[in-house]
Amino acid sequence: MPRWPDPDTKSRSLYDRALNVLPGGVTRVAPWQPPYPVYAQSCKGAWITDVDGNQIFDLINNFASLIHGHAHPAIIDAVTAQLSHGTACTMPTEREVALAELLCERVPAFDKVRFCNSGTEAVMLAVKAARAFTGRPALAKVEGAYHGTYDHVEVSLDSRPENWGNDPNPVAFVAGTPKAVLDDTVILPFNQPEAAARIIREQGARLAAVLIDLMPIYTGCVPATPEFLKAITEAARATGAIVILDEVISFRFGYSGGQGVFGIEPDLTTLAKIIGGGFPVGAVAGKEKIMAVFDHRSGKPAVASTGTFTANMVTMTAGLVGMELMTEEAFDRLNALGDRTRSKLSDAVRRSQYPAQITGHGSIFKIHTHSRPVNDYRSAWSTPEELADLAALQAGLLRRGFLISTKGNGFLSTVMTEAELDSFVDAVEGELRILATQRLLA
Ligand SMILES: Cc1ncc(COP(=O)(O)O)c(C=O)c1O
């Protein structure tokens, strides 16, 4: 069992070194937790071995990107074979064509694909493409939805009761956000069809795009309702705005992505994570007439998109193998494992007598430390006491050898077994029972 947060671990001493050279001692903030993060030594399948030699069952899977867990043999073999033939070449490669073909064959809304190196970059390029195509400035996005770190899409990521307003206000997330960014960002309430459609219509011809995620992780991790999706896509189309579906995470919902499962046909889709087979990746895919903004052949393209490591040989190799392994049967099995895990977690919550709840879809779950109905960012909002309990739950699970995100999310992989997940459910029940007892004593 991990000895974190003991003061005499190798992780602790690495963090002390890191504090000298990295702001806050880390490069990524998400896996940090006080008093110090656990440092990984190696990873294989569903398991991480930390620098102190502990085994940790990894339910984060590099934030939903490792759909086959760590170091899947088929991906490692293909990448190892590729390494001696080069890693990145200025010239295009067959693998890049093959991965784009695979994506276009699977998803009806994809005529063309433009690769890049991250989901952030994909979302930025999709927004720029929408602006170039429509000649309009503004972007509509959902309150609390995370889409990476491009200026406009970060707005209202962490708005609070004291500043979020009735119709959601555009609230700066980053210090120094220019006013122009806020002026050109329109915030929609999630899963509120009438209000969201009205706000879109009010923007009229200013709106270049409506950016949506089928299940934004930070708006409570509940799926978009069919009514919400219908209302906002119809309103977007009525105003002439492009519908951008951010499938950076939800592409793991099915063989034709989340859009196949939820029955929505966006104009543009952003991808990343699972399509890179464990390596850095991003992509914009969509309808021919809009994707033409990236076409350089008549001179300067309307939207410049390039990047030194874009479509590099390693990512394209890993991505192709990883996606080929994701057959329709593989998606079905993974989603069934997700349904089973959420159902068992809900049973564990009931038995524990702690007022928690489980949300999610497909291979994703989230544990909430309150039992109020969750439908959107505001209803998912937790009190400081509930957040303290979530932190205690996450830390307790880590000490038992199970890693979920500090926000309570987990993302399953194809290499996980029912037995491993049952042990995880037992651990959650054990931690919730402790929290329930503490509440009684408080
Ligand atoms: C829905 C969504 N969009 C975009 C991004 C940004 O992707 P990346 O971290 O690859 O830049 C993320 C990252 O988690 C995401 O969840």
Side-chain angles (χ1 to χ4, degrees):
M1 292 294 166
R3 283 177 37 249
W4 177 91
D6 286 2
D8 61 344
T9 61
K10 279 194 190 157
S11 281
R12 172 79 247 184
S13 62
L14 277 171
Y15 186 58
D16 289 340
R17 271 173 62 194
L19 281 169
N20 295 323
V21 284
L22 301 170
V26 291
T27 301
R28 294 170 80 183
V29 174
W32 183 82
Q33 54 194 120
Y36 61 85
V38 177
Y39 282 71
Q41 182 70 43
S42 65
C43 321
K44 179 83 187 138
W47 294 85
I48 299 173
T49 307
D50 76 4
V51 287
D52 291 284
N54 304 299
Q55 296 281 307
I56 299 168
F57 187 68
D58 180 13
L59 289 129
I60 301 187
N61 278 303
N62 198 29
F63 279 91
S65 61
L66 303 174
I67 200 159
H68 301 295
H70 299 276
H72 189 283
I75 297 176
I76 295 304
D77 286 353
V79 167
T80 307
Q82 177 59 46
L83 287 177
S84 54
H85 297 289
T87 55
C89 176
T90 322
M91 294 176 184
T93 67
E94 184 176 351
R95 297 260 164 80
E96 144 195 7
V97 181
L99 183 55
E101 283 171 347
L102 178 147
L103 296 169
C104 291
E105 275 158 22
R106 290 187 179 192
V107 186
F110 296 178
D111 295 332
K112 292 271 160 59
V113 179
R114 171 57 56 105
F115 289 110
C116 53
N117 292 299
S118 71
T120 292
E121 212 183 325
V123 171
M124 176 186 75
L125 288 174
V127 172
K128 286 185 174 187
R131 287 196 198 116
F133 186 77
T134 59
R136 301 169 173 191
L139 170 75
K141 63 147 299 199
V142 163
E143 183 173 45
Y146 180 67
H147 298 282
T149 54
Y150 178 51
D151 285 354
H152 294 76
V153 305
E154 281 187 325
V155 174
S156 289
L157 182 56
D158 69 347
S159 51
R160 310 176 59 80
E162 54 272 24
N163 63 17
W164 63 29
N166 194 13
D167 272 356
N169 288 321
V171 178
F173 175 64
V174 176
T177 300
K179 183 172 174 300
V181 168
L182 300 178
D183 289 346
D184 280 336
T185 309
V186 176
I187 305 300
L188 307 174
F190 187 61
N191 269 348
Q192 293 187 35
E194 290 85 24
R198 172 180 51 76
I199 293 169
I200 292 171
R201 288 208 164 87
E202 281 167 5
Q203 291 300 316
R206 282 189 69 234
L207 215 51
V210 175
L211 173 64
I212 48 175
D213 182 336
L214 296 167
M215 188 177 76
I217 296 298
Y218 302 142
T219 62
C221 204
V222 286
T225 62
E227 298 74 29
F228 178 69
L229 291 174
K230 184 167 181 289
I232 58 171
T233 48
E234 280 178 6
R237 299 224 153 101
T239 63
I242 300 296
V243 175
I244 304 173
L245 185 63
D246 184 349
E247 290 237 54
V248 165
I249 288 192
S250 65
F251 206 59
R252 61 163 44 228
F253 286 164
Y255 189 74
S256 303
Q259 54 197 278
V261 178
F262 285 66
I264 154 169
E265 204 161 304
D267 302 308
L268 292 178
T269 300
T270 54
L271 303 169
K273 303 210 189 243
I274 70 164
I275 68 157
F279 289 82
V281 78
V284 184
K287 300 284 168 57
E288 174 95 52
K289 64 176 199 281
I290 307 173
M291 292 298 288
V293 300
F294 296 117
D295 193 330
H296 61 284
R297 285 174 299 176
S298 56
K300 186 174 161 254
V303 176
S305 115
T306 175
T308 307
F309 285 96
T310 294
N312 70 77
M313 294 152 132
V314 178
T315 296
M316 294 296 108
T317 299
L320 186 59
V321 175
M323 289 308 294
E324 282 171 350
L325 288 170
M326 286 312 299
T327 57
E328 297 199 51
E329 295 70 35
F331 277 107
D332 288 348
R333 183 191 164 270
L334 183 60
N335 288 332
L337 204 57
D339 291 342
R340 181 181 182 278
T341 305
R342 279 190 305 280
S343 154
K344 292 214 158 207
L345 282 170
S346 297
D347 292 344
V349 166
R350 272 189 290 278
R351 283 192 303 270
S352 75
Q353 311 270 326
Y354 180 91
Q357 64 182 306
I358 309 299
T359 59
H361 179 83
S363 50
I364 301 176
F365 67 81
K366 177 175 162 76
I367 307 173
H368 300 256
T369 42
H370 69 77
S371 56
R372 298 180 295 278
V374 174
N375 187 46
D376 59 7
Y377 179 67
R378 297 183 183 194
S379 53
W381 187 259
S382 297
T383 64
E385 295 74 29
E386 291 159 357
L387 289 176
D389 277 2
L390 182 61
L393 171 68
Q394 193 273 347
L397 288 170
L398 180 57
R399 281 193 298 274
R400 291 176 189 247
F402 296 95
L403 184 67
I404 64 168
S405 84
T406 52
K407 305 233 187 226
N409 287 105
F411 309 96
L412 307 191
S413 77
T414 58
V415 297
M416 289 178 167
T417 65
E418 291 185 356
E420 286 168 331
L421 288 162
D422 287 349
S423 307
F424 166 65
V425 171
D426 290 345
V428 172
E429 183 174 342
E431 287 302 317
L432 289 177
R433 281 183 187 278
I434 295 172
L435 290 175
T437 311
Q438 282 168 356
R439 278 207 177 180
L440 277 177
L441 295 175

